[in-house]
Amino acid sequence: MTPQSLQILTPNVPVYKAADAEAYKDLVDVLILCGGSATDLPHQTPEFAQWFHVVDSFDTHAAIPEHFQAVDQQAKENSKVALISCGWDPGMFSLNRLYASAILPCGTDYTFWGKGVSQGHSDAIRRIEGVKDARQYTIPVEAALEAVRSGSAPALTTRQKHTRECFVVAEEGADLQRIQHEIVTMPNYFADYDTTVHFISQEELEKNHSGIPHGGFVIRTGKTGWNEEHNHVVEYSLKLDSNPEFTASVIVAYARAVYRMAQKQDFGCKTVFDVAPALLSPLSGEELRKKML
Amino acid sequence: MTPQSLQILTPNVPVYKAADAEAYKDLVDVLILCGGSATDLPHQTPEFAQWFHVVDSFDTHAAIPEHFQAVDQQAKENSKVALISCGWDPGMFSLNRLYASAILPCGTDYTFWGKGVSQGHSDAIRRIEGVKDARQYTIPVEAALEAVRSGSAPALTTRQKHTRECFVVAEEGADLQRIQHEIVTMPNYFADYDTTVHFISQEELEKNHSGIPHGGFVIRTGKTGWNEEHNHVVEYSLKLDSNPEFTASVIVAYARAVYRMAQKQDFGCKTVFDVAPALLSPLSGEELRKKML
């Protein structure tokens, strides 16, 4: 694909080659990197942080420390602000884990995802022989949510927290029983979960399962009191019709903060943990105190 | 009451007169002010911000701008950090209003309180002739919560959002009908709400209504998409067995942040909006990124 062949929804917005980005380094306030976490962002974010203040949505949780290190070095050497791992998890969910655990140190927290579409799990099903198309939903178990909210701090297995529901379009004449077996026994993806498989037509998939909804819950319960006699439940939840559009909305709010941190020369790699909330809002400190505090 | 007559739960913690506070100005890392918003804090916080880094829980929403001004001047002149209006509303609820509105600018937010005890409303009932004791619960209307969560952005009257439930101990021979009438027609406090009044015995009040639970919900719904076709619901809720103990827990976490801001010489009056989340946690930035992001 060339910049000339790319059709974007907003007319008259210029499109350039990523390879030519450096030429625009004095024209861009904040560069938003939309690449994938597996192979794009690990090299793109440090590279572009040489020339731009950047935001990325790197979401491989286990690799965040390494990614932070690489980006921090480039950002500091070049007096740039680089905010990584922005979105809702990592992102808003991380913030809620942090706030609730700082307030209730004597407690336990839980993250549930869904109901929502997992692209990775949908892809895994599509790679099975005889599968034409598939959509996988991750669903939190209502009984587990209730147990957590009760303050009993239950120990929950993977199976007890989420179920997986799969809508599969099979090729004509495919062995449905074999496909179902391959799905529910697939290690890492499905074997540790109670998984339901529905075979449906391509039309039905397109009609009822074309959206990319997602969401989830961060719940922390904790105790206070001279004899730990008081329970508290802090719950944050998201119910999103469009996972990518909400993620983009979070990123845009943080791009505003990155610009402001750059003005204050607060350079280096940052995460949502390092950003004072007021920096996200278009309102002034005075307006915020008057209208939202 | 003198310092000598005061019995506190933790043995061997010294107790001093507030009037002698200045003498301890080099010994206290952060001073937490626990006075009331009506008459204590408006003069105490500016006064003590001359000598100490302070946190208060000033909660008269409409008077926050004026309080901020007075505290900011003293804190800046004396190189102190003063965090005001800390707790859960103002506090954690304010934060959630800010985050959600920055992410979903095209949306509406709602705050519901309860189920919980309102001290102000309980006091108002106790001032009625013939009332010995009383406890008032503020209760969010479930149907209103559901309407908000649906994303329909309903316009809700005061009456549609909350109901009020009163447990009243009457003096012997008191005119119960008159008391009930005085409660439900009381301007500002009850007249705009559907209010239920139960007359109970002092024993029952002490047995079933001696706690100080509270909580509530901050919900923002918003739209994204080329034709605003996607709805999103962001919900934060608290369910607290003890309102004062949870408020104290928030204040202690912010006292940690105030100490750190003082070390960085980030002086002046602050609110929760100005505090980067990482400053609240005992964990280092590295640990936070590894464990919570």
PDB file of all heavy atoms in Angstrom, chain A residues 227-257:
ATOM      1  N   ASN A 227     -10.576  -3.996  64.428  1.00  0.00           N
ATOM      2  CA  ASN A 227     -10.553  -5.465  64.326  1.00  0.00           C
ATOM      3  C   ASN A 227     -10.873  -5.924  62.903  1.00  0.00           C
ATOM      4  O   ASN A 227     -11.428  -6.993  62.711  1.00  0.00           O
ATOM      5  CB  ASN A 227     -11.559  -6.061  65.314  1.00  0.00           C
ATOM      6  CG  ASN A 227     -11.221  -5.700  66.748  1.00  0.00           C
ATOM      7  OD1 ASN A 227     -10.118  -5.986  67.214  1.00  0.00           O
ATOM      8  ND2 ASN A 227     -12.135  -5.026  67.427  1.00  0.00           N
ATOM      9  N   GLU A 228     -10.544  -5.080  61.928  1.00  0.00           N
ATOM     10  CA  GLU A 228     -10.847  -5.363  60.511  1.00  0.00           C
ATOM     11  C   GLU A 228     -12.311  -5.757  60.336  1.00  0.00           C
ATOM     12  O   GLU A 228     -12.639  -6.666  59.583  1.00  0.00           O
ATOM     13  CB  GLU A 228      -9.918  -6.460  59.971  1.00  0.00           C
ATOM     14  CG  GLU A 228      -8.454  -6.047  60.077  1.00  0.00           C
ATOM     15  CD  GLU A 228      -7.542  -6.874  59.216  1.00  0.00           C
ATOM     16  OE1 GLU A 228      -7.956  -7.960  58.759  1.00  0.00           O
ATOM     17  OE2 GLU A 228      -6.404  -6.432  58.968  1.00  0.00           O
ATOM     18  N   GLU A 229     -13.189  -5.047  61.034  1.00  0.00           N
ATOM     19  CA  GLU A 229     -14.609  -5.406  61.041  1.00  0.00           C
ATOM     20  C   GLU A 229     -15.402  -4.740  59.922  1.00  0.00           C
ATOM     21  O   GLU A 229     -16.574  -5.055  59.722  1.00  0.00           O
ATOM     22  CB  GLU A 229     -15.244  -5.086  62.405  1.00  0.00           C
ATOM     23  CG  GLU A 229     -15.348  -3.607  62.757  1.00  0.00           C
ATOM     24  CD  GLU A 229     -14.093  -3.014  63.404  1.00  0.00           C
ATOM     25  OE1 GLU A 229     -12.982  -3.533  63.135  1.00  0.00           O
ATOM     26  OE2 GLU A 229     -14.217  -2.030  64.163  1.00  0.00           O
ATOM     27  N   HIS A 230     -14.779  -3.854  59.158  1.00  0.00           N
ATOM     28  CA  HIS A 230     -15.512  -3.154  58.104  1.00  0.00           C
ATOM     29  C   HIS A 230     -15.001  -3.535  56.711  1.00  0.00           C
ATOM     30  O   HIS A 230     -13.805  -3.462  56.439  1.00  0.00           O
ATOM     31  CB  HIS A 230     -15.393  -1.626  58.299  1.00  0.00           C
ATOM     32  CG  HIS A 230     -16.111  -1.157  59.529  1.00  0.00           C
ATOM     33  ND1 HIS A 230     -15.558  -0.289  60.443  1.00  0.00           N
ATOM     34  CD2 HIS A 230     -17.345  -1.456  59.998  1.00  0.00           C
ATOM     35  CE1 HIS A 230     -16.425  -0.069  61.422  1.00  0.00           C
ATOM     36  NE2 HIS A 230     -17.509  -0.773  61.191  1.00  0.00           N
ATOM     37  N   ASN A 231     -15.943  -3.917  55.859  1.00  0.00           N
ATOM     38  CA  ASN A 231     -15.621  -4.275  54.476  1.00  0.00           C
ATOM     39  C   ASN A 231     -15.892  -3.112  53.546  1.00  0.00           C
ATOM     40  O   ASN A 231     -16.852  -2.362  53.745  1.00  0.00           O
ATOM     41  CB  ASN A 231     -16.496  -5.449  54.020  1.00  0.00           C
ATOM     42  CG  ASN A 231     -15.917  -6.773  54.451  1.00  0.00           C
ATOM     43  OD1 ASN A 231     -14.767  -7.065  54.168  1.00  0.00           O
ATOM     44  ND2 ASN A 231     -16.718  -7.559  55.149  1.00  0.00           N
ATOM     45  N   HIS A 232     -15.085  -3.016  52.502  1.00  0.00           N
ATOM     46  CA  HIS A 232     -15.296  -1.988  51.489  1.00  0.00           C
ATOM     47  C   HIS A 232     -15.142  -2.628  50.113  1.00  0.00           C
ATOM     48  O   HIS A 232     -14.267  -3.472  49.929  1.00  0.00           O
ATOM     49  CB  HIS A 232     -14.279  -0.860  51.649  1.00  0.00           C
ATOM     50  CG  HIS A 232     -14.260  -0.283  53.028  1.00  0.00           C
ATOM     51  ND1 HIS A 232     -15.229   0.583  53.480  1.00  0.00           N
ATOM     52  CD2 HIS A 232     -13.423  -0.482  54.074  1.00  0.00           C
ATOM     53  CE1 HIS A 232     -14.969   0.912  54.739  1.00  0.00           C
ATOM     54  NE2 HIS A 232     -13.884   0.262  55.121  1.00  0.00           N
ATOM     55  N   VAL A 233     -15.981  -2.223  49.175  1.00  0.00           N
ATOM     56  CA  VAL A 233     -15.893  -2.732  47.810  1.00  0.00           C
ATOM     57  C   VAL A 233     -15.730  -1.546  46.860  1.00  0.00           C
ATOM     58  O   VAL A 233     -16.566  -0.636  46.848  1.00  0.00           O
ATOM     59  CB  VAL A 233     -17.160  -3.520  47.409  1.00  0.00           C
ATOM     60  CG1 VAL A 233     -16.988  -4.134  46.024  1.00  0.00           C
ATOM     61  CG2 VAL A 233     -17.494  -4.593  48.447  1.00  0.00           C
ATOM     62  N   VAL A 234     -14.648  -1.560  46.098  1.00  0.00           N
ATOM     63  CA  VAL A 234     -14.401  -0.538  45.075  1.00  0.00           C
ATOM     64  C   VAL A 234     -14.498  -1.238  43.725  1.00  0.00           C
ATOM     65  O   VAL A 234     -13.782  -2.215  43.492  1.00  0.00           O
ATOM     66  CB  VAL A 234     -12.995   0.080  45.225  1.00  0.00           C
ATOM     67  CG1 VAL A 234     -12.775   1.168  44.180  1.00  0.00           C
ATOM     68  CG2 VAL A 234     -12.783   0.623  46.628  1.00  0.00           C
ATOM     69  N   GLU A 235     -15.388  -0.772  42.878  1.00  0.00           N
ATOM     70  CA  GLU A 235     -15.591  -1.464  41.597  1.00  0.00           C
ATOM     71  C   GLU A 235     -15.561  -0.477  40.436  1.00  0.00           C
ATOM     72  O   GLU A 235     -16.203   0.576  40.481  1.00  0.00           O
ATOM     73  CB  GLU A 235     -16.942  -2.203  41.616  1.00  0.00           C
ATOM     74  CG  GLU A 235     -17.270  -2.883  40.292  1.00  0.00           C
ATOM     75  CD  GLU A 235     -18.399  -3.901  40.395  1.00  0.00           C
ATOM     76  OE1 GLU A 235     -18.752  -4.328  41.504  1.00  0.00           O
ATOM     77  OE2 GLU A 235     -18.934  -4.278  39.336  1.00  0.00           O
ATOM     78  N   TYR A 236     -14.822  -0.834  39.399  1.00  0.00           N
ATOM     79  CA  TYR A 236     -14.763  -0.031  38.175  1.00  0.00           C
ATOM     80  C   TYR A 236     -15.135  -0.947  37.027  1.00  0.00           C
ATOM     81  O   TYR A 236     -14.619  -2.060  36.942  1.00  0.00           O
ATOM     82  CB  TYR A 236     -13.346   0.498  37.983  1.00  0.00           C
ATOM     83  CG  TYR A 236     -13.132   1.337  36.731  1.00  0.00           C
ATOM     84  CD1 TYR A 236     -13.530   2.670  36.703  1.00  0.00           C
ATOM     85  CD2 TYR A 236     -12.525   0.816  35.603  1.00  0.00           C
ATOM     86  CE1 TYR A 236     -13.322   3.462  35.574  1.00  0.00           C
ATOM     87  CE2 TYR A 236     -12.306   1.596  34.464  1.00  0.00           C
ATOM     88  CZ  TYR A 236     -12.711   2.919  34.465  1.00  0.00           C
ATOM     89  OH  TYR A 236     -12.501   3.698  33.353  1.00  0.00           O
ATOM     90  N   SER A 237     -16.042  -0.502  36.177  1.00  0.00           N
ATOM     91  CA  SER A 237     -16.398  -1.362  35.055  1.00  0.00           C
ATOM     92  C   SER A 237     -16.551  -0.572  33.773  1.00  0.00           C
ATOM     93  O   SER A 237     -16.866   0.631  33.785  1.00  0.00           O
ATOM     94  CB  SER A 237     -17.684  -2.137  35.350  1.00  0.00           C
ATOM     95  OG  SER A 237     -18.784  -1.260  35.370  1.00  0.00           O
ATOM     96  N   LEU A 238     -16.294  -1.250  32.672  1.00  0.00           N
ATOM     97  CA  LEU A 238     -16.454  -0.681  31.333  1.00  0.00           C
ATOM     98  C   LEU A 238     -17.353  -1.590  30.524  1.00  0.00           C
ATOM     99  O   LEU A 238     -17.244  -2.823  30.613  1.00  0.00           O
ATOM    100  CB  LEU A 238     -15.087  -0.587  30.626  1.00  0.00           C
ATOM    101  CG  LEU A 238     -14.074   0.367  31.245  1.00  0.00           C
ATOM    102  CD1 LEU A 238     -12.725   0.224  30.540  1.00  0.00           C
ATOM    103  CD2 LEU A 238     -14.569   1.806  31.157  1.00  0.00           C
ATOM    104  N   LYS A 239     -18.254  -0.980  29.750  1.00  0.00           N
ATOM    105  CA  LYS A 239     -19.101  -1.730  28.830  1.00  0.00           C
ATOM    106  C   LYS A 239     -19.015  -0.974  27.503  1.00  0.00           C
ATOM    107  O   LYS A 239     -19.594   0.101  27.366  1.00  0.00           O
ATOM    108  CB  LYS A 239     -20.539  -1.771  29.362  1.00  0.00           C
ATOM    109  CG  LYS A 239     -21.425  -2.762  28.672  1.00  0.00           C
ATOM    110  CD  LYS A 239     -22.642  -3.100  29.543  1.00  0.00           C
ATOM    111  CE  LYS A 239     -23.630  -3.952  28.777  1.00  0.00           C
ATOM    112  NZ  LYS A 239     -24.456  -3.150  27.847  1.00  0.00           N
ATOM    113  N   LEU A 240     -18.277  -1.547  26.573  1.00  0.00           N
ATOM    114  CA  LEU A 240     -17.869  -0.807  25.379  1.00  0.00           C
ATOM    115  C   LEU A 240     -18.440  -1.444  24.117  1.00  0.00           C
ATOM    116  O   LEU A 240     -18.202  -2.623  23.856  1.00  0.00           O
ATOM    117  CB  LEU A 240     -16.339  -0.809  25.278  1.00  0.00           C
ATOM    118  CG  LEU A 240     -15.576  -0.473  26.577  1.00  0.00           C
ATOM    119  CD1 LEU A 240     -14.085  -0.683  26.377  1.00  0.00           C
ATOM    120  CD2 LEU A 240     -15.887   0.947  27.030  1.00  0.00           C
ATOM    121  N   ASP A 241     -19.156  -0.661  23.327  1.00  0.00           N
ATOM    122  CA  ASP A 241     -19.651  -1.171  22.043  1.00  0.00           C
ATOM    123  C   ASP A 241     -18.498  -1.387  21.069  1.00  0.00           C
ATOM    124  O   ASP A 241     -18.563  -2.254  20.201  1.00  0.00           O
ATOM    125  CB  ASP A 241     -20.629  -0.172  21.411  1.00  0.00           C
ATOM    126  CG  ASP A 241     -22.058  -0.372  21.895  1.00  0.00           C
ATOM    127  OD1 ASP A 241     -22.293  -1.297  22.696  1.00  0.00           O
ATOM    128  OD2 ASP A 241     -22.930   0.400  21.464  1.00  0.00           O
ATOM    129  N   SER A 242     -17.478  -0.550  21.172  1.00  0.00           N
ATOM    130  CA  SER A 242     -16.340  -0.676  20.262  1.00  0.00           C
ATOM    131  C   SER A 242     -15.036  -0.553  21.040  1.00  0.00           C
ATOM    132  O   SER A 242     -14.658   0.540  21.474  1.00  0.00           O
ATOM    133  CB  SER A 242     -16.403   0.415  19.184  1.00  0.00           C
ATOM    134  OG  SER A 242     -15.160   0.470  18.502  1.00  0.00           O
ATOM    135  N   ASN A 243     -14.375  -1.684  21.198  1.00  0.00           N
ATOM    136  CA  ASN A 243     -13.093  -1.727  21.891  1.00  0.00           C
ATOM    137  C   ASN A 243     -12.076  -0.771  21.239  1.00  0.00           C
ATOM    138  O   ASN A 243     -11.505   0.082  21.931  1.00  0.00           O
ATOM    139  CB  ASN A 243     -12.617  -3.194  21.887  1.00  0.00           C
ATOM    140  CG  ASN A 243     -11.302  -3.412  22.608  1.00  0.00           C
ATOM    141  OD1 ASN A 243     -10.657  -2.488  23.047  1.00  0.00           O
ATOM    142  ND2 ASN A 243     -10.923  -4.683  22.719  1.00  0.00           N
ATOM    143  N   PRO A 244     -11.876  -0.829  19.898  1.00  0.00           N
ATOM    144  CA  PRO A 244     -10.859   0.067  19.306  1.00  0.00           C
ATOM    145  C   PRO A 244     -11.217   1.553  19.440  1.00  0.00           C
ATOM    146  O   PRO A 244     -10.330   2.377  19.660  1.00  0.00           O
ATOM    147  CB  PRO A 244     -10.801  -0.366  17.839  1.00  0.00           C
ATOM    148  CG  PRO A 244     -11.996  -1.224  17.604  1.00  0.00           C
ATOM    149  CD  PRO A 244     -12.385  -1.793  18.919  1.00  0.00           C
ATOM    150  N   GLU A 245     -12.491   1.901  19.335  1.00  0.00           N
ATOM    151  CA  GLU A 245     -12.843   3.325  19.433  1.00  0.00           C
ATOM    152  C   GLU A 245     -12.682   3.855  20.853  1.00  0.00           C
ATOM    153  O   GLU A 245     -12.270   5.001  21.052  1.00  0.00           O
ATOM    154  CB  GLU A 245     -14.282   3.569  18.930  1.00  0.00           C
ATOM    155  CG  GLU A 245     -14.371   3.454  17.418  1.00  0.00           C
ATOM    156  CD  GLU A 245     -15.783   3.663  16.868  1.00  0.00           C
ATOM    157  OE1 GLU A 245     -16.682   4.067  17.625  1.00  0.00           O
ATOM    158  OE2 GLU A 245     -15.973   3.413  15.669  1.00  0.00           O
ATOM    159  N   PHE A 246     -12.986   3.035  21.854  1.00  0.00           N
ATOM    160  CA  PHE A 246     -12.774   3.494  23.232  1.00  0.00           C
ATOM    161  C   PHE A 246     -11.278   3.619  23.506  1.00  0.00           C
ATOM    162  O   PHE A 246     -10.823   4.586  24.115  1.00  0.00           O
ATOM    163  CB  PHE A 246     -13.429   2.534  24.233  1.00  0.00           C
ATOM    164  CG  PHE A 246     -13.362   3.047  25.651  1.00  0.00           C
ATOM    165  CD1 PHE A 246     -14.291   3.986  26.112  1.00  0.00           C
ATOM    166  CD2 PHE A 246     -12.378   2.616  26.528  1.00  0.00           C
ATOM    167  CE1 PHE A 246     -14.235   4.468  27.416  1.00  0.00           C
ATOM    168  CE2 PHE A 246     -12.307   3.096  27.832  1.00  0.00           C
ATOM    169  CZ  PHE A 246     -13.242   4.025  28.275  1.00  0.00           C
ATOM    170  N   THR A 247     -10.501   2.618  23.047  1.00  0.00           N
ATOM    171  CA  THR A 247      -9.049   2.671  23.230  1.00  0.00           C
ATOM    172  C   THR A 247      -8.486   3.941  22.598  1.00  0.00           C
ATOM    173  O   THR A 247      -7.663   4.641  23.194  1.00  0.00           O
ATOM    174  CB  THR A 247      -8.395   1.413  22.621  1.00  0.00           C
ATOM    175  OG1 THR A 247      -8.949   0.265  23.269  1.00  0.00           O
ATOM    176  CG2 THR A 247      -6.889   1.423  22.801  1.00  0.00           C
ATOM    177  N   ALA A 248      -8.949   4.254  21.389  1.00  0.00           N
ATOM    178  CA  ALA A 248      -8.493   5.475  20.709  1.00  0.00           C
ATOM    179  C   ALA A 248      -8.861   6.711  21.526  1.00  0.00           C
ATOM    180  O   ALA A 248      -8.080   7.664  21.619  1.00  0.00           O
ATOM    181  CB  ALA A 248      -9.117   5.556  19.318  1.00  0.00           C
ATOM    182  N   SER A 249     -10.036   6.690  22.161  1.00  0.00           N
ATOM    183  CA  SER A 249     -10.481   7.841  22.963  1.00  0.00           C
ATOM    184  C   SER A 249      -9.570   8.055  24.172  1.00  0.00           C
ATOM    185  O   SER A 249      -9.257   9.194  24.533  1.00  0.00           O
ATOM    186  CB  SER A 249     -11.927   7.625  23.431  1.00  0.00           C
ATOM    187  OG  SER A 249     -12.788   7.460  22.323  1.00  0.00           O
ATOM    188  N   VAL A 250      -9.144   6.949  24.786  1.00  0.00           N
ATOM    189  CA  VAL A 250      -8.209   7.054  25.913  1.00  0.00           C
ATOM    190  C   VAL A 250      -6.879   7.631  25.423  1.00  0.00           C
ATOM    191  O   VAL A 250      -6.301   8.540  26.038  1.00  0.00           O
ATOM    192  CB  VAL A 250      -7.977   5.682  26.588  1.00  0.00           C
ATOM    193  CG1 VAL A 250      -6.945   5.801  27.710  1.00  0.00           C
ATOM    194  CG2 VAL A 250      -9.280   5.096  27.120  1.00  0.00           C
ATOM    195  N   ILE A 251      -6.408   7.116  24.295  1.00  0.00           N
ATOM    196  CA  ILE A 251      -5.115   7.543  23.755  1.00  0.00           C
ATOM    197  C   ILE A 251      -5.124   9.043  23.428  1.00  0.00           C
ATOM    198  O   ILE A 251      -4.157   9.758  23.708  1.00  0.00           O
ATOM    199  CB  ILE A 251      -4.751   6.691  22.514  1.00  0.00           C
ATOM    200  CG1 ILE A 251      -4.390   5.270  22.967  1.00  0.00           C
ATOM    201  CG2 ILE A 251      -3.619   7.330  21.718  1.00  0.00           C
ATOM    202  CD1 ILE A 251      -4.227   4.282  21.828  1.00  0.00           C
ATOM    203  N   VAL A 252      -6.202   9.523  22.855  1.00  0.00           N
ATOM    204  CA  VAL A 252      -6.278  10.943  22.488  1.00  0.00           C
ATOM    205  C   VAL A 252      -6.233  11.821  23.741  1.00  0.00           C
ATOM    206  O   VAL A 252      -5.548  12.851  23.776  1.00  0.00           O
ATOM    207  CB  VAL A 252      -7.547  11.223  21.649  1.00  0.00           C
ATOM    208  CG1 VAL A 252      -7.784  12.719  21.508  1.00  0.00           C
ATOM    209  CG2 VAL A 252      -7.406  10.583  20.271  1.00  0.00           C
ATOM    210  N   ALA A 253      -6.935  11.395  24.815  1.00  0.00           N
ATOM    211  CA  ALA A 253      -6.897  12.166  26.064  1.00  0.00           C
ATOM    212  C   ALA A 253      -5.467  12.210  26.609  1.00  0.00           C
ATOM    213  O   ALA A 253      -4.989  13.250  27.078  1.00  0.00           O
ATOM    214  CB  ALA A 253      -7.855  11.571  27.101  1.00  0.00           C
ATOM    215  N   TYR A 254      -4.757  11.084  26.522  1.00  0.00           N
ATOM    216  CA  TYR A 254      -3.380  11.056  27.021  1.00  0.00           C
ATOM    217  C   TYR A 254      -2.411  11.806  26.100  1.00  0.00           C
ATOM    218  O   TYR A 254      -1.378  12.300  26.565  1.00  0.00           O
ATOM    219  CB  TYR A 254      -2.921   9.618  27.307  1.00  0.00           C
ATOM    220  CG  TYR A 254      -3.346   9.195  28.699  1.00  0.00           C
ATOM    221  CD1 TYR A 254      -4.541   8.525  28.912  1.00  0.00           C
ATOM    222  CD2 TYR A 254      -2.589   9.539  29.815  1.00  0.00           C
ATOM    223  CE1 TYR A 254      -4.960   8.194  30.195  1.00  0.00           C
ATOM    224  CE2 TYR A 254      -2.998   9.205  31.099  1.00  0.00           C
ATOM    225  CZ  TYR A 254      -4.180   8.531  31.286  1.00  0.00           C
ATOM    226  OH  TYR A 254      -4.592   8.220  32.562  1.00  0.00           O
ATOM    227  N   ALA A 255      -2.745  11.904  24.820  1.00  0.00           N
ATOM    228  CA  ALA A 255      -1.903  12.706  23.921  1.00  0.00           C
ATOM    229  C   ALA A 255      -1.909  14.167  24.376  1.00  0.00           C
ATOM    230  O   ALA A 255      -0.882  14.857  24.328  1.00  0.00           O
ATOM    231  CB  ALA A 255      -2.399  12.584  22.479  1.00  0.00           C
ATOM    232  N   ARG A 256      -3.078  14.640  24.848  1.00  0.00           N
ATOM    233  CA  ARG A 256      -3.162  16.002  25.391  1.00  0.00           C
ATOM    234  C   ARG A 256      -2.219  16.160  26.585  1.00  0.00           C
ATOM    235  O   ARG A 256      -1.500  17.152  26.702  1.00  0.00           O
ATOM    236  CB  ARG A 256      -4.600  16.303  25.812  1.00  0.00           C
ATOM    237  CG  ARG A 256      -4.763  17.676  26.447  1.00  0.00           C
ATOM    238  CD  ARG A 256      -6.203  17.933  26.892  1.00  0.00           C
ATOM    239  NE  ARG A 256      -7.099  18.096  25.774  1.00  0.00           N
ATOM    240  CZ  ARG A 256      -8.159  17.332  25.532  1.00  0.00           C
ATOM    241  NH1 ARG A 256      -8.470  16.350  26.365  1.00  0.00           N
ATOM    242  NH2 ARG A 256      -8.923  17.555  24.496  1.00  0.00           N
ATOM    243  N   ALA A 257      -2.203  15.145  27.457  1.00  0.00           N
ATOM    244  CA  ALA A 257      -1.326  15.189  28.632  1.00  0.00           C
ATOM    245  C   ALA A 257       0.140  15.171  28.215  1.00  0.00           C
ATOM    246  O   ALA A 257       0.972  15.887  28.796  1.00  0.00           O
ATOM    247  CB  ALA A 257      -1.636  14.007  29.554  1.00  0.00           C
TER     248      ALA A 257
END
